[in-house]
């Protein structure tokens, strides 16, 4: 009896072991079975060999047709091998879209195609291998309240909803397909060395950087920029405010609102075969001097301006504001509007003639300090007053180009200009001859009575400005008191 019970126990244990083994094998088998993919299910609509695609045509409604052809594993613009296609973007059309022609769902009993924007699709994409069309995709409207679009494939009358990446690639423009364009930039305005504007619609303008400017009377490189055209001779840029130095920052970058075309043929349709304005900026690029030249032409229907750069074979559109911030010279605002520097520490001698009298300021510079005489009389203690009084003479108004032409004044012809001014306005009411210390140029200044309100000032033979007549009369009165 005991043996029988023992045998039954062994059989029970075996049965339990077999059962556990069966459960283990069942679980193991289930773990080896493929799992359903996570996320929403998709419908494979069309399957093509995407890597065999040799041509892609995209026709967005109301936009320029895109046609890409593959040559030597590179995507090119059809008919223009030089157009710089962004290869990564072009490849994504194949790898992300054409390799996965899936839909989110198929519509059950779809309505009229016009309800989905498919009667006149937003875009049609066709992919070819040789002359064979592998797939045609028609893109419709966005699905309301969903990140999806309606679409149809090939000649089927079935309507699907597809993911938004269809819209991303089927609404591409040439701007989105081109390789990024490296526009000229200047990393630091301290690198800029000259600015020139030649124009038939704006004022011509020239500005130059010169660390050794001979007319920098500050002695500390405050006047290291000066202006040429439209001035006769030149006029220093104003260091006392930030207007010119703020303007320089505009020349460091050139943002555009659009790209018109690649290549510089057919420039006449943009008015760029004979640009109305040329902006040239030179700057130091390391130890070498580089140049940015921007050519500007006509405006489009929105008032934007066509233009292109030297060494970049693209035609761009720039906003009118961007253009005018760079080529509409505010010369008077940027200029140092005083003919004299207030300090006398770099002056050797000043001779003044007024009302038939001659006054001479002689300077003596030594390690012990500056001393001075005014007509032989020591004036060291009032030297700063003499400089400040000179400083009070300032320019009030530009002499227009029309007035210069009317008077017959010529640039840099001091002898002729002096004769013209005397013929028109009589003898100067005051003259200054200033001799500076070594390395700095002197100044010859004549002031003529222009009318009841203004005097006209001739500096080193050039006429650019009028000044307030009262400032001159005040200085003559103060000079007699020294």
């Amino acid at each position: 009896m005991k043996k029988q019970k023992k045998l039954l126990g062994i059989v029970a244990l075996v049965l339990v072991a077999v059962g556990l083994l069966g459960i283990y094998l069942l679980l193991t088998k289930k773990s080896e079975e493929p799992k359903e993919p996570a996320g929403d299910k998709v419908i494979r609509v069309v399957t093509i060999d995407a890597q065999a695609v040799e041509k892609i045509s995209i026709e967005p409604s109301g936009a320029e047709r895109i046609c890409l052809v593959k040559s030597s594993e590179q995507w090119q613009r059809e008919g223009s091998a030089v157009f710089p296609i962004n290869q990564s973007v072009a490849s994504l059309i194949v790898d992300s879209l054409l390799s996965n022609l899936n839909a989110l769902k198929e519509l059950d009993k779809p309505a009229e195609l016009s309800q989905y924007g498919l009667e006149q699709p937003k875009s049609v994409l066709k992919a070819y291998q040789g002359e064979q069309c592998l797939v045609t995709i028609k893109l419709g409207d966005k699905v309301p309240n969903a990140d999806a679009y309606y679409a149809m494939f090939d000649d089927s009358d079935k309507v699907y909803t597809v993911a938004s990446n269809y819209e991303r690639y089927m609404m591409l423009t040439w701007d989105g397909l081109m390789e990024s364009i490296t526009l000229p930039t200047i990393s630091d305005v301290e690198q800029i060395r000259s600015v020139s504007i030649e124009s038939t619609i704006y004022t011509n303008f020239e500005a130059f950087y010169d660390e050794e400017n001979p007319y920098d009377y500050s002695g500390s490189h405050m006047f290291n920029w000066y202006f040429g055209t439209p001035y006769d001779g030149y006029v220093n840029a104003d260091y006392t405010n930030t207007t010119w130095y703020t303007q320089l920052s505009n020349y460091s970058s050139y943002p555009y609102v659009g790209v018109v075309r690649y290549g510089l043929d057919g420039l006449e349709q943009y008015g760029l075969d004979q640009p109305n304005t040329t902006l040239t900026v030179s700057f130091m690029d390391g130890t070498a001097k580089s140049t940015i030249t921007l050519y500007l032409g006509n405006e489009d229907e929105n008032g934007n301006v066509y233009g292109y750069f030297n060494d970049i074979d693209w035609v761009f559109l720039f906003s009118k504001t961007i253009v005018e911030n760079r080529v509409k010279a505010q010369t008077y605002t940027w200029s140092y509007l005083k003919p004299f520097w207030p300090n006398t520490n770099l002056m050797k001698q000043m001779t003044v003639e007024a009302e038939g009298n001659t006054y001479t300021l002689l300077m003596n510079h030594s390690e012990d300090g500056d001393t001075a005489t005014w007509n032989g009389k020591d004036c060291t203690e009032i030297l700063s007053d003499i400089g400040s009084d000179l400083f009070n003479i300032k320019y009030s108004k530009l002499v227009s180009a029309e007035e210069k032409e009317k008077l017959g004044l010529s640039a840099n012809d001091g002898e002729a200009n002096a004769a013209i001014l005397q013929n028109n306005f009589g003898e100067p009411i005051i003259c200054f001859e200033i001799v500076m210390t070594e390395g700095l140029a002197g100044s010859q200044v004549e002031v003529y009575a222009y009318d009841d309100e203004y005097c006209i000032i001739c500096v080193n033979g050039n006429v650019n400005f009028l000044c307030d007549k009262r400032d001159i009369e005040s200085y003559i009165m103060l000079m007699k008191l020294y």
Side-chain angles (χ1 to χ4, degrees):
M1 188 72 176
K2 289 183 179 178
K3 287 183 178 180
Q4 187 178 7
K5 286 183 178 180
K6 186 174 182 181
L7 181 61
L8 289 172
I10 293 171
V11 170
L13 288 172
V14 170
L15 290 173
V16 170
V18 170
L20 291 173
L21 178 61
I23 293 170
Y24 170 78
L25 291 174
L26 179 63
L27 292 174
T28 303
K29 182 179 180 182
K30 284 189 174 182
S31 69
E32 291 175 350
E33 289 177 354
K35 297 179 180 179
E36 286 292 326
D40 296 334
K41 294 182 180 180
V42 295
I43 303 167
R44 171 69 74 171
V45 181
V46 181
T47 299
I48 66 171
D49 182 1
Q51 301 308 314
V53 172
E54 298 171 335
K55 178 179 175 181
I56 300 170
S57 169
I58 304 173
E59 297 186 40
S61 176
E64 186 177 0
R65 175 176 176 261
I66 302 290
C67 191
L68 300 173
V69 292
K70 199 170 188 180
S71 175
S72 302
E73 300 305 314
Q74 294 287 311
W75 288 100
Q76 299 176 358
R77 179 172 180 166
E78 186 180 47
S80 180
V82 294
F83 187 98
I85 293 292
N86 187 321
Q87 296 299 315
S88 62
V89 175
S91 296
L92 280 173
I93 301 175
V94 174
D95 299 334
S96 181
L97 183 63
L98 298 178
S99 295
N100 300 283
L101 294 171
N102 302 323
L104 300 176
K105 70 175 184 177
E106 178 185 344
L107 297 192
D108 185 27
K109 297 179 181 179
E112 296 293 326
L113 294 183
S114 60
Q115 300 298 310
Y116 311 110
L118 287 167
E119 187 176 28
Q120 294 182 329
K122 289 178 60 174
S123 182
V124 177
L125 182 148
K126 294 183 179 182
Y128 296 84
Q129 181 180 14
E131 297 299 319
Q132 180 188 2
C133 181
L134 301 178
V135 67
T136 299
I137 310 170
K138 299 173 185 177
L139 183 72
D141 293 337
K142 190 176 187 296
V143 178
N145 303 316
D147 189 20
Y149 289 81
Y150 297 110
M152 298 178 72
F153 294 80
D154 294 328
D155 296 326
S156 172
D157 58 359
K158 295 180 180 180
V159 177
Y160 298 90
T161 62
V162 296
S164 59
N165 67 316
Y166 278 78
E167 191 269 348
R168 183 180 307 123
Y169 297 116
M170 291 180 65
M171 295 304 292
L172 276 171
T173 64
W174 285 118
D175 280 5
L177 270 167
M178 71 183 179
E179 192 67 64
S180 60
I181 304 170
T182 303
L183 288 183
T185 57
I186 301 172
S187 59
D188 188 345
V189 296
E190 296 293 333
Q191 297 173 314
I192 300 176
R193 291 295 176 264
S194 68
V195 178
S196 172
I197 299 167
E198 296 183 20
S199 180
T200 59
I201 60 175
Y202 298 103
T203 301
N204 289 344
F205 173 70
E206 293 176 311
F208 304 95
Y209 176 90
D210 184 357
E211 197 170 279
E212 303 301 325
N213 176 9
Y215 289 90
D216 178 6
Y217 300 144
S218 69
S220 53
H221 301 296
M222 290 183 177
F223 295 108
N224 47 22
W225 276 96
Y226 62 87
F227 306 131
T229 306
Y231 295 128
D232 293 340
Y234 65 86
V235 174
N236 286 325
D238 192 353
Y239 78 95
T240 64
N241 62 49
T242 61
T243 53
W244 171 243
Y245 297 94
T246 299
Q247 174 63 19
L248 281 173
S249 65
N250 284 327
Y251 301 121
S252 63
S253 63
Y254 301 84
Y256 60 89
V257 298
V259 179
V260 177
R261 64 176 295 166
Y262 179 78
L264 300 181
D265 54 327
L267 290 179
E268 62 278 358
Q269 61 186 306
Y270 310 110
L272 289 168
D273 55 329
Q274 295 181 328
N276 60 56
T277 303
T278 301
L279 168 65
T280 304
V281 180
S282 71
F283 63 100
M284 295 305 298
D285 186 5
T287 58
K289 184 177 283 189
S290 295
T291 300
I292 297 171
T293 304
L294 173 61
Y295 304 94
L296 298 171
N298 297 337
E299 296 182 15
D300 71 356
E301 64 276 8
N302 298 314
N304 297 313
V305 182
Y306 295 107
Y308 72 96
F309 296 95
N310 61 315
D311 302 326
I312 300 179
D313 293 341
W314 286 89
V315 176
F316 299 91
L317 269 177
F318 302 92
S319 77
K320 190 71 170 291
T321 300
I322 290 295
V323 167
E324 292 196 340
N325 282 347
R326 287 154 180 77
V327 301
K328 195 173 183 179
Q330 307 290 329
T331 316
Y332 185 82
T333 303
W334 301 334
S335 299
Y336 183 72
L337 296 177
K338 297 181 180 181
F340 304 107
W341 173 250
N343 296 336
T344 53
N345 60 324
L346 297 175
M347 186 185 295
K348 290 178 66 175
Q349 178 177 322
M350 178 176 71
T351 302
V352 185
E353 296 181 5
E355 299 181 346
N357 298 312
T358 300
Y359 306 87
T360 302
L361 174 70
L362 291 175
M363 297 291 305
N364 178 43
H365 303 288
S366 68
E367 294 180 358
D368 297 328
D370 294 340
T371 58
T373 60
W374 180 262
N375 275 3
K377 179 182 176 182
D378 184 83
C379 64
T380 303
E381 291 187 2
I382 63 168
L383 193 55
S384 61
D385 294 333
I386 294 174
S388 296
D389 291 338
L390 275 173
F391 188 59
N392 287 333
I393 300 175
K394 55 185 178 296
Y395 303 134
S396 305
K397 194 175 180 181
L398 278 172
V399 179
S400 68
E402 293 76 16
E403 178 67 2
K404 289 182 186 180
E405 185 177 355
K406 177 182 174 182
L407 291 172
L409 297 171
S410 303
N412 303 312
D413 192 343
E415 186 174 340
N417 288 340
I420 291 168
L421 291 170
Q422 289 178 30
N423 183 59
N424 282 276
F425 308 111
E427 291 295 323
I429 58 177
I430 191 170
C431 298
F432 300 85
E433 183 178 357
I434 299 175
V435 180
M436 304 300 293
T437 56
E438 188 174 353
L440 294 174
S443 292
Q444 185 78 33
V445 180
E446 295 94 23
V447 181
Y448 299 83
Y450 183 75
D451 56 24
D452 292 339
E453 187 176 358
Y454 293 104
C455 289
I456 191 167
I457 298 183
C458 182
V459 179
N460 296 323
N462 294 300
V463 175
N464 294 298
F465 299 99
L466 302 177
C467 72
D468 193 312
K469 195 173 185 179
R470 291 170 297 183
D471 290 344
I472 299 299
E473 292 171 344
S474 176
Y475 182 77
I476 292 174
M477 181 182 69
L478 289 170
M479 184 179 57
K480 295 176 182 177
L481 300 176
Y482 295 151

